[in-house]
Amino acid sequence: MPLTLEIVTPDGVAWHGSDVDAVILPTRSGEIEILPGHIPLITILEAGAVGVIQNGKEMDLAIDIGYARCMGDVVSVLTEAAMNVEKLDAADVEAAKDAALKALEDAKKNRLDESEIQRLEAAARVALAKVIAKNRK
């Protein structure tokens, strides 16, 4: 029986698919691969690439930090942000990462409000996750 994968952000369902052969998750202890029949699992996720193997084809999605739950043959990912990077240009992704890291560095130098620094850190994490997901192949 194939897996069902759902990736949910505060804005709603970012990605949903059935007939998924395998899911590769970026956990704090490294990447893990979930196959049909996996034991129940709850884990903390790092920002990075979620690999989805469906009908023999692999695609990568970039996610921010979050949690994953594997129960039966359903894998649920709860994250702050998620994006399919397949159609993004690698140079644009790299430029966005550089801009996000520079903005974060400037904010820390100028001692901006802590909430603004946290927002910029999240943007930098997502930008790095996009780079990781885009360069995975």
Side-chain angles (χ1 to χ4, degrees), residues 7 24-27 31 45-51 60-66 77 79 81-85 122 124-136:
I7 299 177
I24 302 160
L25 299 170
T27 73
E31 286 187 344
L45 299 175
E46 293 291 331
V50 171
D60 293 308
L61 304 160
I63 64 162
D64 194 3
I65 57 175
V77 173
T79 181
M83 174 179 281
N84 186 338
V85 297
R125 269 195 322 270
V126 171
L128 287 170
K130 288 178 188 176
V131 170
I132 291 167
K134 188 67 181 173
N135 294 329
R136 226 172 142 224

Side-chain angles (χ1 to χ4, degrees), residues 3 9 31 33 53 67 69 99 101-103 113 120 125 129:
L3 295 169
T9 70
E31 286 187 344
E33 185 173 13
I53 301 170
Y67 297 90
R69 180 183 81 160
L101 292 174
K102 181 169 182 352
D113 179 53
L120 290 169
R125 269 195 322 270

Side-chain angles (χ1 to χ4, degrees), residues 15-117:
W15 197 89
H16 182 274
S18 325
D19 299 328
V20 173
D21 303 320
V23 179
I24 302 160
L25 299 170
T27 73
R28 282 195 173 166
S29 5
E31 286 187 344
I32 61 169
E33 185 173 13
I34 307 294
L35 298 169
H38 198 283
I39 63 169
L41 170 78
I42 295 177
T43 188
I44 298 172
L45 299 175
E46 293 291 331
V50 171
V52 180
I53 301 170
Q54 188 175 33
N55 301 321
K57 296 180 183 177
E58 185 173 350
M59 74 149 75
D60 293 308
L61 304 160
I63 64 162
D64 194 3
I65 57 175
Y67 297 90
R69 180 183 81 160
C70 176
M71 190 66 66
D73 285 325
V74 177
V75 180
S76 301
V77 173
L78 304 173
T79 181
E80 291 294 318
M83 174 179 281
N84 186 338
V85 297
E86 297 293 318
K87 296 179 182 172
L88 296 179
D89 180 64
D92 291 343
V93 170
E94 196 67 38
K97 176 202 69 148
D98 293 343
L101 292 174
K102 181 169 182 352
L104 177 59
E105 184 180 314
D106 291 346
K108 287 181 178 179
K109 281 182 186 173
N110 295 326
R111 301 190 191 279
L112 289 184
D113 179 53
E114 184 63 30
S115 63
E116 181 64 13
I117 290 175

